Coordinates of all heavy atoms in Angstrom, one line a residue:
Chain A
L14 N -5.2 15.8 5.8 CA -4.2 16.4 6.6 C -4.0 17.9 6.3 O -3.8 18.7 7.1 CB -2.8 15.7 6.3 CG -2.7 14.3 7.0 CD1 -1.4 13.6 6.4 CD2 -2.6 14.4 8.5
Q22 N 3.1 26.1 11.8 CA 4.5 26.0 12.1 C 4.8 24.8 13.0 O 3.9 24.4 13.9 CB 5.0 27.2 12.9 CG 6.5 27.2 13.1 CD 7.0 28.5 13.8 OE1 6.3 29.1 14.6 NE2 8.3 28.9 13.5
I23 N 5.9 24.1 12.8 CA 6.3 22.9 13.6 C 6.9 23.4 14.9 O 7.8 24.2 14.9 CB 7.2 22.0 12.9 CG1 6.5 21.3 11.7 CG2 7.8 20.9 13.8 CD1 7.4 20.4 10.9
G74 N 3.3 2.0 3.9 CA 3.5 0.6 3.9 C 2.2 -0.2 3.9 O 1.3 0.2 3.2
W126 N 16.0 11.5 -4.6 CA 15.9 10.4 -3.6 C 15.4 9.2 -4.3 O 14.4 9.2 -5.0 CB 15.0 10.8 -2.5 CG 15.0 9.9 -1.3 CD1 16.0 9.6 -0.5 CD2 13.9 9.2 -0.8 NE1 15.6 8.7 0.5 CE2 14.3 8.4 0.3 CE3 12.5 9.0 -1.2 CZ2 13.5 7.6 1.0 CZ3 11.7 8.2 -0.5 CH2 12.2 7.5 0.6
L141 N -1.2 6.9 -19.0 CA -1.3 5.4 -18.7 C -1.2 4.7 -20.0 O -0.6 3.6 -20.1 CB -2.6 5.1 -18.0 CG -2.8 5.8 -16.7 CD1 -4.1 5.3 -16.1 CD2 -1.7 5.4 -15.7
G167 N 1.2 4.0 -7.9 CA 0.0 4.2 -7.1 C -1.0 3.1 -7.0 O -1.8 3.0 -6.0

Side-chain angles (χ1 to χ4, degrees):
Chain A
L14 284 171
Q22 187 179 28
I23 292 179
W126 190 62
L141 299 181

